[in-house]
């Protein structure tokens, strides 16, 4: 039989008998089974795919950076004179300040000294009261000494024939207001800070709620009180002065900054990169310290709820039958409960504090783990390689550690990491409700809560810390997403 | 028959959930250190006894439990405030719930329509500018808490224009306030962001998945016009699963509204809740929790049943 289609030329009998055509292949043995490329296991594969995701790597770097700053940062905080932690130390002369690298501050005595109000001994009380047209404001109105945030002392020459003086203060913040306006226009004088009913008095010290970032215009008018009608007449014009305040620091605090600081010297104050809050505390320092509690919660709560969920899910999955049904119905009911309301409720019942936060946050977050892990246990129990392993006589522990655990770990890591940003959000949420940790402990949520109280006046106090919160949440979220993709074998080769 | 069984099963589960919610709330409120009357001003023994009798606090715990249970679930009476004498929780709900519901409905409407539109456009024009914008919005809307957006909008839409740009406060958006249509704008936008994010994301992936399905291929092969293909085959099938996230959306909106009402000064249930917590007014906290939670549980029940009716596969499970 010859088949022309199969070969271009027909082999002759001689050629066919050529022994070389039939040399046996040399035995390769184990070499044929050798893998030509390095083995890439499940974990290595996941790692490779994760590291290829640039956004995820960046997110991871950001998280590590935030965590590092949170752990290491507080070690480098400046010392305070009274020993309170820097993030809790209040400076009531430096409240609600914007970001600064360190303003010049004047070193003063630890307790600022004000002179007593001076009285003109030669004042003639017998002079008749002036009529409304004759009233003039006191002359030589001037600041005495240095105007500081602790107080502004001003003096004037008394006017004869008046009942006393009134002192007004207005803030120059962006509005076009000059001394001239205040002198002529009573409506521009602002807040009345004092009524001095002794016409012989020549000085006054204003020390309430002064802000170093502001310029103040003080004005003084003389008034006459009609002894019969009790009617008050005020001089039409005022004397006015503009005062810019010097920021001060107590000697003890100054020496913590610069060892050889002296009273009267001007030194560079603390840098407040995020400014200070309503109690004069450094916001960045509070955020950095707050990182510790936030990250502690963010690591602990998912871990605890994972352990609860793992035990619950494993029991449910392994027991099966009635127990499984009842346990899963319980999870179903807990899942439909409004988690947030109960979170608030538990926190109300247990009171503020880190411990109750942990309990409240763990109480309902384990159900997700229980549900998923039960499903996985059921799946893995019936899967072929587990059967095969059992058939070959592998001990239970070996099955669990070699086959079940590695297969669960991927899912566990994905769920665990996805829970972290939710915990940070919940902490902030509860704090905004006033249900977080006890004051003055700092967490990200309490920093935001403090700032929210006067958000419209000082938005930077809210937005600077909030941007850190937002960046961290976004980073955790992207990383969680990337982990989910990396551990999903179905996505292999798609990127 | 199967549908009826399914509905009854869900109903039963919802009742059990409601009971659990009530029980948890009841015992958590009793676990608060001190009794509800302790934090009010010093009161004479006589008054105290009267008050305790009036609020049923002198009875044993299990009697209080069943008393309150029957009062809430049979008579629909959530009790009275311990703080403001004569203030009924039912009145608080009657007055303030419609406000919250109004804001919620407006934001769900905005969120669902915008989310569906964005999701469809993002799926049809992948990698376009709109798609990228939508994906950014999704990540931000899902991962960032709604109170952050509330503060961002309050500053950029109201505080900044009014104080720095000199806009007219009589016509422009107010940072906080209630009573005029314009006051709806900021809270609803804030609340709708999260809704837009979750709907866009879900719809986009559904659209893409449906796009690969056999029936779309068949329709394409048989020469259906593109518009008809997208509208009748792709969108119709992709939108169906959206129903299943209505409940999560509602929970999201409601929980977000708890803080947002405080930020924008809306006299809704969320603010009532916040005030009662600040005042430690336990009866009000309890009443509002049971009402609010019950509302969410019933919404969940409706979503479940709706989905079971529409998609027969669900009933089997």
């Amino acid at each position: 039989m010859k088949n022309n289609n199969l070969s271009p030329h027909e082999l002759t009998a001689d050629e066919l008998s050529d022994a070389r055509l039939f040399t046996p292949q040399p035995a390769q043995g184990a070499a044929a089974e050798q893998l030509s490329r390095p083995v890439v296991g499940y974990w290595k594969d996941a790692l490779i795919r994760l590291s290829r995701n640039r956004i995820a790597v960046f997110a991871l770097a950001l998280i590590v950076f935030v965590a590092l700053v949170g752990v290491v940062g507080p070690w480098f905080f400046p010392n305070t004179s009274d020993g309170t932690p820097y993030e809790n130390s209040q400076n009531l002369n430096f409240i609600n300040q914007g970001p600064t690298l360190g303003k010049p501050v004047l070193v003063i005595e630890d307790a600022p000294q004000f002179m007593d109000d001076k009285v003109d001994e030669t004042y003639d009380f017998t002079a008749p009261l002036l009529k409304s047209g004759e009233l003039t404001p006191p002359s030589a109105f001037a600041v005495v000494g240095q105007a500081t945030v602790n107080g502004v002392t001003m003096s004037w020459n008394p006017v004869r024939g008046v009942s006393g003086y009134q002192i007004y203060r207005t803030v120059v913040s962006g509005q076009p207001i000059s001394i001239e306006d205040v002198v002529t226009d009573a409506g521009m004088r602002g807040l009345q800070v004092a009524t001095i009913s002794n016409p012989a008095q020549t000085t006054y010290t204003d020390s309430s709620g002064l802000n170093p970032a502001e310029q103040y215009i003080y004005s003084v008018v003389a008034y006459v009180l009609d002894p019969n009608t009790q009617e008050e007449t005020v001089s039409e014009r005022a004397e006015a002065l503009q005062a810019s305040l010097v920021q001060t620091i107590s000697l003890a605090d100054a020496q913590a900054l610069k060892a050889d600081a002296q009273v009267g010297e001007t030194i560079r104050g603390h840098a407040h990169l995020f400014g200070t809050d309503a109690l004069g505390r450094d916001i960045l320092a509070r955020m950095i310290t707050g990182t510790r509690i936030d990250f502690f919660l963010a690591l602990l709560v998912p871990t605890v709820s994972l352990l609860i969920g793992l035990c619950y899910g494993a029991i449910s999955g392994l027991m099966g039958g009635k127990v499984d049904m009842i346990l899963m119905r319980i999870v179903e009911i807990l899942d439909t409960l409004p988690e947030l309301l109960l979170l608030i409720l538990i926190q109300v019942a247990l009171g503020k504090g880190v411990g109750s936060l942990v309990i409240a946050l763990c109480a309902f977050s384990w159900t997700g783990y229980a549900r998923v892990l039960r499903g996985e246990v059921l799946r893995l129990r019936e899967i072929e390689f587990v059967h095969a392993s059992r058939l070959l006589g592998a001990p239970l522990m070996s099955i669990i550690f070699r086959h079940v655990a590695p297969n669960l770990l991927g899912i566990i890591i994905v769920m665990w990491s996805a829970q972290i940003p939710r915990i940070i959000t919940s902490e902030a949420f509860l704090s905004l409700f006033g249900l977080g940790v006890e004051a003055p402990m700092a967490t990200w949520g309490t920093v935001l809560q403090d700032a929210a109280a006067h958000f419209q006046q000082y938005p930077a106090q809210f937005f600077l810390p909030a941007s850190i919160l937002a960046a961290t949440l976004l980073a955790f979220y992207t990383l969680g997403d990337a982990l989910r993709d990396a551990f999903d074998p179905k996505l292999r080769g798609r990127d | 028959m199967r549908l009826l069984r399914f509905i009854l099963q869900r109903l039963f589960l919802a009742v059990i959930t409601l009971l659990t919610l009530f029980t948890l709330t009841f015992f958590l409120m009793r676990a608060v250190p001190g009794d509800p009357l302790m934090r009010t001003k010093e009161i004479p023994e006589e008054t105290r006894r009267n008050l305790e009798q009036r609020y049923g606090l002198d009875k044993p715990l299990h009697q209080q439990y069943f008393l309150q249970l029957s009062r809430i679930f049979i008579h629909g009476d959530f009790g009275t405030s311990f703080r403001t004498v004569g203030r009924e929780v039912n009145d608080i709900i009657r007055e303030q719930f419609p406000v919250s519901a109004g804001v919620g409905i407006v934001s769900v409407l905005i969120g669902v329509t915008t989310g569906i539109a964005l999701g469809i456009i993002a799926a049809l024009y992948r990698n376009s500018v709109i798609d990228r914008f939508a994906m950014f919005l999704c990540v931000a809307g899902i991962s960032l808490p709604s109170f952050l957006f509330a503060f961002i909008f309050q500053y950029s839409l109201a505080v900044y224009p009014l104080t720095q740009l000199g806009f007219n406060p009589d016509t422009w958006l107010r940072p906080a306030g209630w009573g005029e249509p314009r006051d709806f704008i900021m809270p609803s936008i804030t609340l709708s962001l999260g809704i837009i994010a979750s709907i866009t994301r879900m719809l986009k992936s559904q659209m893409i998945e449906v796009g690969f399905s056999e029936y779309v291929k068949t329709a394409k092969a048989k020469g259906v016009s593109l518009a008809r293909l997208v509208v009748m085959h792709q969108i119709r099938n992709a939108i169906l699963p959206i129903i299943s996230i209505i409940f999560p959306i509602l929970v999201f909106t409601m929980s977000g509204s708890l803080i947002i009402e405080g930020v924008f000064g809306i006299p809704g249930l969320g603010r009532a809740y916040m005030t009662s917590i600040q005042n430690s007014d336990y009866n009000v906290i309890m009443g509002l929790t049971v009402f609010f939670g019950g509302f969410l549980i019933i919404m969940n029940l409706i979503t479940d049943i709706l989905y079971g009716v529409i998609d027969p596969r669900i009933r089997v499970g």
Side-chain angles (χ1 to χ4, degrees):
Chain A
M1 264 288 242
K2 61 180 194 178
N3 192 339
N4 287 333
N5 293 334
L6 283 177
S7 64
H9 81 283
E10 217 147 306
L11 293 169
T12 63
D14 281 350
E15 280 172 326
L16 273 172
S17 61
D18 188 346
R20 281 174 305 168
L21 278 176
F22 298 101
T23 32
Q25 186 77 10
Q28 285 176 327
E33 300 290 311
Q34 205 82 68
L35 299 174
S36 55
R37 293 190 193 181
V39 181
V40 178
Y42 179 62
W43 295 99
K44 206 167 172 195
D45 180 60
L47 198 67
I48 288 171
R49 278 187 290 147
L50 189 67
S51 61
R52 242 183 243 153
N53 187 339
R54 267 195 227 143
I55 301 176
V57 173
F58 177 72
L60 183 64
L62 185 79
I63 292 166
V64 170
F65 174 74
V66 171
L68 264 181
V69 171
V71 172
V72 176
W75 299 341
F76 296 100
F77 282 170
N79 294 322
T80 51
S81 54
D82 54 352
T84 46
Y86 180 62
E87 73 275 5
N88 293 340
S89 88
Q90 306 178 359
N91 180 359
L92 295 178
N93 290 328
F94 208 68
I95 58 168
N96 295 328
Q97 296 299 300
T100 164
L101 281 168
K103 289 178 179 165
V105 291
L106 180 73
V107 181
I108 56 164
E109 304 272 346
D110 283 350
Q113 303 288 316
F114 298 122
M115 60 173 134
D116 294 332
D117 291 332
K118 278 192 186 148
V119 175
D120 183 1
E121 301 293 344
T122 64
Y123 188 80
D124 177 13
F125 282 97
T126 58
L129 288 179
L130 294 171
K131 300 250 162 25
S132 67
E134 306 160 351
L135 268 174
T136 54
S139 59
F141 187 50
V143 173
V144 181
Q146 181 74 271
T148 72
V149 284
N150 305 94
V152 182
T153 304
M154 54 211 96
S155 72
W156 57 87
N157 289 341
V159 184
R160 195 164 301 175
V162 297
S163 310
Y165 316 100
Q166 290 171 357
I167 292 174
Y168 293 84
R169 181 178 91 189
T170 186
V171 173
V172 190
S173 59
Q175 45 189 354
I177 179 169
S178 67
I179 293 185
E180 300 306 310
D181 299 330
V182 176
V183 166
T184 51
D185 186 354
M188 301 287 274
R189 285 172 197 155
L191 184 79
Q192 184 177 348
V193 289
T195 299
I196 294 154
S197 50
N198 177 3
Q201 190 173 329
T202 62
T203 63
Y204 172 74
T205 303
D206 174 40
S207 60
S208 58
L210 294 168
N211 185 339
E214 291 286 2
Q215 295 260 324
Y216 293 97
I217 292 181
Y218 284 96
S219 46
V220 62
V221 294
Y223 74 91
V224 169
L225 201 63
D226 192 301
N228 305 320
T229 60
Q230 291 297 311
E231 203 177 311
E232 194 181 273
T233 320
V234 177
S235 66
E236 209 165 283
R237 288 172 58 84
E239 276 292 303
L241 63 84
Q242 187 159 354
S244 39
L245 310 180
V246 171
Q247 179 62 48
T248 59
I249 189 169
S250 74
L251 184 61
D253 282 335
Q255 279 168 344
L257 266 177
K258 184 167 172 254
D260 59 342
Q262 305 279 322
V263 172
E265 190 186 348
T266 299
I267 63 167
R268 204 174 141 107
H270 286 296
H272 299 291
L273 289 182
F274 278 17
T276 59
D277 67 6
L279 292 171
R281 299 174 296 194
D282 184 271
I283 293 176
L284 183 60
R286 290 184 69 71
M287 279 302 279
I288 291 175
T289 323
T291 312
R292 290 181 164 191
I293 292 182
D294 269 85
F295 274 50
F296 167 74
L297 287 174
L299 295 181
L300 182 72
V301 172
T303 311
V304 172
S305 34
L306 163 70
L307 290 179
I308 302 174
L310 185 61
C311 294
Y312 195 96
I315 292 173
S316 184
L318 293 175
M319 301 277 272
K322 274 252 158 60
V323 179
D324 180 38
M325 202 200 78
I326 292 170
L327 287 182
M328 279 303 116
R329 278 292 125 88
I330 293 175
V331 163
E332 215 169 308
I333 288 169
L334 289 179
D335 264 352
T336 22
L337 285 174
E339 195 182 328
L340 203 91
L341 295 179
L342 287 169
L343 197 66
I344 294 173
L345 221 57
I346 295 176
Q347 196 66 1
V348 169
L350 298 182
K352 289 180 180 185
V354 181
S356 47
L357 263 181
V358 172
I359 296 174
L361 290 171
C362 287
F364 292 95
S365 53
W366 56 270
T367 52
Y369 292 101
R371 202 162 10 83
V372 171
L373 293 176
R374 167 196 170 258
E376 282 297 296
V377 166
L378 284 182
R379 189 176 69 89
L380 288 172
R381 209 168 61 162
E382 299 305 324
I383 214 157
E384 280 79 0
F385 57 78
V386 174
H387 278 314
S389 187
R390 198 182 294 155
L391 209 63
L392 288 171
L396 185 67
M397 280 297 137
S398 140
I399 293 179
I400 289 177
F401 282 107
R402 271 193 72 82
H403 299 298
V404 179
N407 277 291
L408 284 181
L409 218 55
I411 279 189
I412 286 177
I413 290 178
V414 169
M415 291 185 76
W416 186 83
S417 63
Q419 208 193 339
I420 291 178
R422 289 208 296 272
I423 297 300
I424 296 178
T425 311
S426 299
E427 189 277 321
F429 183 88
L430 284 174
S431 292
L432 280 178
F433 253 86
L435 291 171
V437 294
E438 301 111 330
M441 196 185 265
T443 62
W444 289 5
T446 49
V447 173
L448 292 182
Q449 188 208 0
D450 291 339
H454 40 248
F455 164 74
Q456 293 188 26
Q457 276 167 289
Y458 306 106
Q461 276 185 30
F462 184 88
F463 284 131
L464 287 173
S467 59
I468 291 190
L469 173 78
T472 312
L473 287 179
L474 282 174
F476 271 121
Y477 184 79
T478 9
L479 187 65
D481 248 18
L483 280 173
R484 197 187 54 204
D485 291 350
F487 281 115
D488 190 349
K490 273 180 271 175
L491 292 175
R492 182 177 297 158
R494 278 219 206 152
D495 40 38
Chain B
M1 206 43 220
R2 190 174 259 172
L3 182 64
L4 192 72
R5 221 191 109 191
F6 169 77
I7 291 176
L8 283 177
Q9 212 177 28
R10 292 284 127 179
L11 256 173
F12 178 69
L13 201 67
V15 170
I16 301 275
T17 317
L18 271 174
L19 269 176
T20 317
L21 176 71
F22 171 79
T23 314
L24 275 173
T25 319
F26 182 84
F27 286 107
L28 277 173
M29 285 296 93
R30 288 298 175 280
V32 173
D35 64 275
L37 300 177
M38 206 176 78
R39 301 201 185 180
T40 47
K41 279 171 272 158
E42 275 302 313
I43 41 176
E45 198 54 35
E46 188 79 8
T47 325
R48 186 182 183 81
R49 226 171 297 130
N50 280 339
L51 279 172
E52 273 180 353
Q53 201 168 19
R54 183 159 155 213
Y55 293 122
L57 294 170
D58 52 343
K59 298 194 176 67
L61 200 63
H62 66 275
Q63 267 189 37
Q64 284 186 41
Y65 177 84
F66 286 110
L67 233 122
Q68 201 143 24
L69 188 69
S70 72
R71 223 184 49 210
I72 288 184
F73 287 104
I74 295 170
H75 306 289
D77 176 9
F78 288 100
T80 47
S81 165
F82 284 153
R83 281 312 170 98
T84 325
V85 175
R87 179 74 167 153
E88 300 250 345
V89 181
N90 285 33
D91 288 339
I92 298 179
I93 293 171
R94 204 172 300 125
E95 285 161 26
Q96 311 204 347
F97 181 63
V99 176
S100 295
V103 179
I105 288 169
V106 171
S107 22
V108 168
L109 281 180
I110 297 177
V112 170
T113 45
T114 322
I116 288 179
L118 260 183
I120 290 171
I121 295 173
L124 292 182
Y125 304 97
R126 286 179 74 181
N127 292 323
S128 66
V129 181
I130 296 185
D131 182 28
R132 274 153 205 266
F133 169 74
M135 286 307 105
F136 170 75
L137 203 70
C138 285
V139 173
I142 291 172
S143 57
L144 299 182
S146 50
F147 65 78
L148 271 188
F149 293 113
F151 283 106
I152 291 172
F153 286 136
Q154 191 182 43
Y155 187 72
S156 59
L157 296 183
V159 176
Y160 186 77
L162 289 178
T163 57
Q164 307 293 319
L165 304 177
F167 279 41
N168 184 1
D170 294 330
T171 51
W172 191 250
L173 300 173
R174 297 190 278 193
W178 194 247
E180 290 176 41
R182 59 178 165 155
D183 297 327
F184 263 99
I185 296 174
M186 281 192 297
S188 348
I189 295 180
T190 310
L191 284 175
S192 66
L193 267 186
I195 306 174
I196 294 175
S198 38
I199 288 196
T200 305
R201 203 164 79 141
M202 182 156 186
L203 192 59
K204 186 189 164 185
S205 62
Q206 282 292 328
M207 284 283 288
I208 292 170
E209 214 175 296
V210 170
F212 284 124
S213 67
E214 301 298 327
Y215 54 83
V216 168
K217 275 184 208 159
T218 313
K220 219 183 274 177
K222 124 188 135 163
V224 171
S225 73
L226 187 67
R228 199 182 152 79
L229 180 78
V230 168
V231 176
M232 297 301 287
H233 295 267
Q234 231 178 321
I235 295 180
R236 242 179 95 170
N237 285 296
I239 275 186
L240 196 65
I242 296 289
I243 296 172
S244 70
I245 58 169
I246 285 182
F247 174 67
I249 280 177
L250 265 168
V251 174
F252 193 91
T253 316
M254 290 300 176
S255 58
S257 72
L258 285 182
I259 283 208
I260 275 151
E261 286 181 4
V263 175
F264 292 115
I266 303 169
L269 218 51
R271 213 171 67 167
Y273 203 68
M274 219 162 174
T275 329
S276 64
I277 287 171
Q278 276 152 7
N279 293 342
S280 321
D281 196 340
Y282 300 121
N283 226 17
V284 178
I285 299 178
M286 178 168 178
L288 291 182
T289 305
V290 173
F291 173 76
F292 213 39
F295 176 76
L296 292 177
I297 290 167
I298 288 166
M299 280 297 148
N300 187 21
L301 176 74
I302 293 173
T303 313
D304 265 6
I305 292 177
L306 211 63
Y307 208 54
V309 171
I310 294 173
D311 192 342
R313 281 170 302 182
I314 302 292
R315 280 175 243 160
V316 185

